[in-house]
Amino acid sequence: MAHAAGSVPYFAPTEPRALSREEREILEKLLTDQGVEYTRQLHGLMVVGRCGCGVCPTVFFVAHTEGDREHDLVSYVGTDSANGLVGAVLMQKDGLLSQLEFYSVDGHDPWSIPEARSLRPQVDA
């Protein structure tokens, strides 16, 4: 994937690994109302990349190449260990779970992965 000088790649491949306990708990919470076709994918789901920034906890389950179109499946917000508001967005590409994106909603820094039990559906204002 080509990037402008000084830009950060969107996807950085990593050595494939199993989901962490926290990632699995968040995915289970996000998939509560998404149907069997997505829930079945949890078994054997592997992390194959991370956000190119190298700082945030966003992970990818399929390789991403320039031009790929992902779609939001579900978007929740919750609190992290600093009690800050963090968004969690589960994306799919061609019917496959593709990415679990995290971002600071309220701008606090440093921030971390939200606690699964704190997650609630995100309601647009």
Side-chain angles (χ1 to χ4, degrees), residues 19-34:
L19 297 171
S20 70
R21 179 184 54 79
E22 293 86 3
E23 291 164 345
R24 178 168 292 283
E25 288 174 356
I26 288 170
L27 285 168
E28 288 170 350
K29 179 83 172 192
L30 295 176
L31 288 169
T32 300
D33 297 322
Q34 296 309 308

Side-chain angles (χ1 to χ4, degrees), residues 2-3 5 14 18-19 22 24 26 48 53 63 87 93 95 98 113 120-121:
H3 300 284
T14 61
L19 297 171
E22 293 86 3
R24 178 168 292 283
I26 288 170
V48 299
C53 78
K93 179 171 68 174
S98 60
I113 194 169
R120 302 289 178 261

Side-chain angles (χ1 to χ4, degrees), residues 10-73:
Y10 178 73
F11 170 81
T14 61
E15 189 68 34
R17 66 166 175 83
L19 297 171
S20 70
R21 179 184 54 79
E22 293 86 3
E23 291 164 345
R24 178 168 292 283
E25 288 174 356
I26 288 170
L27 285 168
E28 288 170 350
K29 179 83 172 192
L30 295 176
L31 288 169
T32 300
D33 297 322
Q34 296 309 308
V36 178
E37 70 274 12
Y38 290 108
T39 305
R40 278 190 204 135
Q41 294 179 36
L42 275 177
H43 178 71
L45 196 63
M46 300 289 287
V47 172
V48 299
R50 61 173 295 135
C51 176
C53 78
V55 178
C56 78
T58 295
V59 293
F60 289 81
F61 311 120
V62 297
H64 185 87
T65 58
E66 195 168 340
D68 282 353
R69 298 283 182 234
E70 293 175 294
H71 302 280
D72 292 1
L73 184 61

Side-chain angles (χ1 to χ4, degrees), residues 64-115:
H64 185 87
T65 58
E66 195 168 340
D68 282 353
R69 298 283 182 234
E70 293 175 294
H71 302 280
D72 292 1
L73 184 61
V74 61
S75 182
Y76 276 40
V77 293
T79 53
D80 65 6
S81 59
N83 207 33
L85 199 57
V86 176
V89 180
L90 180 58
M91 297 181 189
Q92 62 89 14
K93 179 171 68 174
D94 299 327
L96 297 176
L97 298 176
S98 60
Q99 179 183 169
L100 180 57
E101 177 184 16
F102 298 103
Y103 61 94
S104 173
V105 174
D106 58 12
H108 73 287
D109 194 27
W111 59 277
S112 60
I113 194 169
E115 297 177 20

